[in-house]
Amino acid sequence: MENKKSHSLLKSGIQLSLATLLSRILGLVREMTKAAFLGTGGLADAFGIAFQLPNLFRRLFAENSISVAFIPTFRTYIEDEQNDKRTTQDFVSATLTLVTFLTTVVVTLGLIVTPLLIKLFYGDSDPQSFPEAVLLTRIMFPYLIVVSVAAFFQGILNGVNIFTPSGFAPVLFNAVVIAATYTLSPRMENPARAMATGVIAGGIVQMLFQFPFVLHATWRVSFTSLKNAFTNPGTRRVIALVLPTIIGMAAYQVNDVVSSTLAKRAGIGIYASLQYSLRLQELILGIFAVSIGSVILPDMAALAQKKQWDDFTVLLTRAIQIITLIAIPVTLYSLICGREIISLVYKSKNFTDESVAMTLSVFRFHMIGLAFIALNRILAPAFYAQQNTTLPTVAGIFNFAVNITLAAVLVKTMHGSGIALALSVASFANTVFLFCAMPRLHSVETKKIVKVFVLYALKITAFSFIAALPVHASLPHLVNFFAGHSRLISNGAVIVLSALLFALVGVALLALTKDDIAKEVAAKLQRK
């Protein structure tokens, strides 16, 4: 049973990761486009703040509600033999009505109070770009509605173990934003407005793309009355599951707002550099952490419903090991070759050497928290699958307190680097909290999971340091050898050769020790 669950996890994870990889690559190209057109000046800050606002609410209405409440409840409906298809369909329609109504209300209010919201970030700093930030926010705020419906479609598909369409939908979003920036920039007052228009168009495409797959899965997309939406037993259960997380999510939202405010008020370009750094981090996270997390939530919810706790523990343990195998080596390599990575991805006429240095200073502190952020994406679904939303909520509040306290202190001396370091330390604290809270879950062998994780993490860390030694020694020579060429050669060649060297040493160490997780991943990739 253990091998069956492991192989199922790897198969689904690899399929979703391939789609997510393409999405994250295009997401990175989108950031490269932003860097080329906007750089790290006031216009880049204005666009970043404006785009952040609908995303803050998206996490509450879309990611939070769907992952925490809808998918586990939807799976309960499906697994319960006493429920017929019509009962489940009524729940689906009621949830869509609820999501659409609430997001429309928020968008309407948001458009009215936009200047007040932007003032929170800006204060008295950078008055030149303030009006532009207000306009860009009003252009992009309706994105919340379409992306929330898109997330709802994703919840339906993931709930019936269909992952690839939802993994591919962001590819289309990023492609539309990039195309709109290049085609509309010459026709609009500035590139930021062209990119904002692309965000709205991309969100609509992302939503419509998943629609046929939902219909093909034999689920009807329809609305019901608001009375039915709020009184349906399923949506009432969803609301009951979501309500305890509101405090935690509110803390998360305030966390982002305060961090962004500190960054914006610390100086022009600091907020933009943090966003560029986070995009690189999210590229890596999206390839494996989000993919594995999305795959295991429906499976863990089903195992919890059937009370198959041994299989539940095996699935969670395997996912943690896979994350560890990837996250720790990537962290070490990124710390060594960060300058070359940033230069290759972003450097352009508007993204100067100063922009590279500013982004590198925060990137290094972001990357030391990568493994903990990835683990949190795996640990949280273990609680959600058992419909325990309280403990992740408390963890979110704890994370908020640690992050904001450290950010407020460190930004005074470390500026953007202090905000990045605060996020990494808070992510570590969140991971520790979730591990400590795990004994409260039903029949989960916490001691076994923690022991396996710690031993495996120590092993992979040791291997990563050994693999990093030849890369660190050879890097100056590679940089000098390829210097003077285009950035594709001078930085790209260095990254490719150093990554190959790092991978060869790491894979050799895994092969010599006959690592089980690496063997499973390799076998699955060969079969694919």
Side-chain angles (χ1 to χ4, degrees):
M1 189 64 178
E2 178 174 341
N3 288 334
K4 182 179 179 180
K5 284 293 176 186
S6 299
H7 288 164
S8 176
L9 172 62
L10 284 170
K11 179 180 179 180
S12 299
I14 289 171
Q15 289 176 341
L16 181 57
S17 291
L18 291 175
T20 306
L21 173 61
L22 181 57
S23 167
R24 295 295 170 166
I25 289 174
L26 276 179
L28 191 59
V29 174
R30 189 188 81 205
E31 286 299 297
M32 293 169 66
T33 303
K34 177 185 167 186
F37 280 91
L38 306 181
T40 53
L43 195 58
D45 284 348
F47 177 85
I49 294 292
F51 190 35
Q52 183 179 7
L53 282 171
N55 274 325
L56 288 175
F57 290 103
R58 182 203 72 190
R59 296 184 185 115
L60 177 61
F61 286 103
E63 295 177 359
N64 182 49
S65 299
I66 299 303
S67 63
V68 172
F70 176 76
I71 292 179
T73 304
F74 186 46
R75 284 299 294 237
T76 300
Y77 268 87
I78 294 174
E79 298 288 338
D80 191 344
E81 296 180 355
Q82 296 181 354
N83 289 325
D84 56 20
K85 180 69 178 287
R86 181 177 178 179
T87 302
T88 307
Q89 179 62 63
D90 289 342
F91 162 63
V92 170
S93 299
T95 304
L96 175 60
T97 303
L98 196 64
V99 169
T100 307
F101 171 73
L102 292 176
T103 53
T104 301
V105 171
V106 170
V107 167
T108 302
L109 294 175
L111 292 174
I112 295 171
V113 301
T114 293
L116 297 177
L117 294 174
I118 298 299
K119 190 70 174 178
L120 291 175
F121 292 95
Y122 272 69
D124 296 324
S125 67
D126 196 13
Q128 289 81 9
S129 66
F130 177 83
E132 191 65 31
V134 172
L135 176 61
L136 293 173
T137 301
R138 283 176 165 158
I139 293 174
M140 289 187 283
F141 223 121
Y143 170 71
L144 171 63
I145 299 173
V146 292
V147 77
S148 296
V149 175
F152 170 73
F153 289 164
Q154 177 178 344
I156 294 176
L157 294 173
N158 288 4
V160 293
N161 293 322
I162 299 174
F163 301 101
T164 304
S166 300
F168 187 74
V171 174
L172 299 176
F173 169 78
N174 289 318
V176 170
V177 174
I178 294 166
T181 305
Y182 277 98
T183 57
L184 298 180
S185 288
R187 299 171 175 83
M188 305 189 81
E189 188 167 332
N190 61 60
R193 296 183 188 182
M195 190 167 250
T197 304
V199 168
I200 290 295
I204 294 172
V205 171
Q206 186 176 1
M207 175 187 67
L208 294 178
F209 174 75
Q210 296 179 86
F211 179 67
F213 294 96
V214 174
L215 295 180
H216 187 262
T218 70
W219 296 103
R220 189 175 70 256
V221 177
S222 60
F223 295 98
T224 186
S225 68
L226 284 177
K227 180 180 178 180
N228 289 338
F230 280 97
T231 58
N232 182 276
T235 57
R236 292 175 68 179
R237 186 185 308 173
V238 167
I239 293 171
L241 288 170
V242 169
L243 282 178
T245 71
I246 293 297
I247 297 176
M249 287 303 297
Y252 183 85
Q253 309 296 1
V254 174
N255 199 346
D256 269 6
V257 169
V258 175
S259 296
S260 299
T261 302
L262 290 170
K264 180 56 190 161
R265 299 187 182 190
I268 296 175
I270 291 178
Y271 175 82
S273 67
L274 284 163
Q275 294 303 304
Y276 289 126
S277 173
L278 284 171
R279 173 54 60 183
L280 287 175
Q281 186 188 65
E282 288 171 1
L283 169 68
I284 302 165
L285 282 171
I287 293 172
F288 59 92
V290 176
S291 300
I292 298 298
S294 298
V295 168
I296 67 172
L297 177 56
D299 286 345
M300 285 198 297
L303 292 173
Q305 177 72 14
K306 298 174 183 177
K307 301 188 184 303
Q308 297 178 355
W309 302 119
D310 289 341
D311 294 334
F312 188 98
T313 299
V314 167
L315 185 64
L316 179 58
T317 303
R318 267 311 192 243
I320 290 173
Q321 287 179 298
I322 292 171
I323 288 294
T324 303
L325 174 63
I326 302 171
I328 293 178
V330 168
T331 297
L332 264 293
Y333 176 79
S334 298
L335 291 175
I336 296 172
C337 298
R339 182 180 298 277
E340 287 68 36
I341 294 172
I342 292 170
S343 296
L344 173 65
V345 173
Y346 293 130
K347 193 172 182 183
S348 63
K349 180 181 178 180
N350 290 320
F351 201 94
T352 62
D353 288 331
E354 181 182 356
S355 300
V356 171
M358 186 183 296
T359 305
L360 177 62
S361 67
V362 298
F363 178 69
R364 286 171 173 163
F365 286 104
H366 273 148
M367 287 306 297
I368 63 176
L370 176 75
F372 305 116
I373 296 174
L375 283 169
N376 294 337
R377 302 283 179 90
I378 299 302
L379 294 175
F383 292 86
Y384 300 148
Q386 296 193 17
Q387 300 191 9
N388 184 327
T389 60
T390 302
L391 290 174
T393 297
V394 177
I397 297 172
F398 180 58
N399 179 293
F400 162 74
V402 173
N403 186 36
I404 293 306
T405 302
L406 288 177
V409 173
L410 297 176
V411 72
K412 297 177 181 178
T413 55
M414 299 177 64
H415 305 294
S417 298
I419 296 174
L421 176 59
L423 177 62
S424 293
V425 174
S427 299
F428 167 73
N430 194 80
T431 301
V432 173
F433 186 99
L434 290 175
F435 270 123
C436 291
M438 197 174 290
R440 294 179 177 271
L441 294 178
H442 295 295
S443 304
V444 174
E445 299 178 49
T446 305
K447 291 183 179 179
K448 177 181 177 181
I449 292 174
V450 173
K451 180 181 178 181
V452 170
F453 161 66
V454 171
L455 292 177
Y456 196 69
L458 290 173
K459 171 185 172 180
I460 299 302
T461 300
F463 285 2
S464 298
F465 271 105
I466 294 172
L469 290 175
V471 174
H472 185 268
S474 62
L475 187 61
H477 303 289
L478 290 173
V479 170
N480 291 333
F481 183 80
F482 289 104
H485 298 278
S486 66
R487 68 172 181 167
L488 185 62
I489 300 298
S490 60
N491 296 302
V494 171
I495 291 172
V496 169
L497 292 176
S498 60
L500 285 174
L501 177 59
F502 184 86
L504 285 173
V505 176
V507 169
L509 291 171
L510 292 171
L512 287 173
T513 56
K514 299 180 180 179
D515 186 89
D516 290 338
I517 303 300
K519 285 167 61 178
E520 283 188 28
V521 174
K524 182 59 63 177
L525 287 173
Q526 287 177 356
R527 283 195 291 271
K528 294 299 290 183

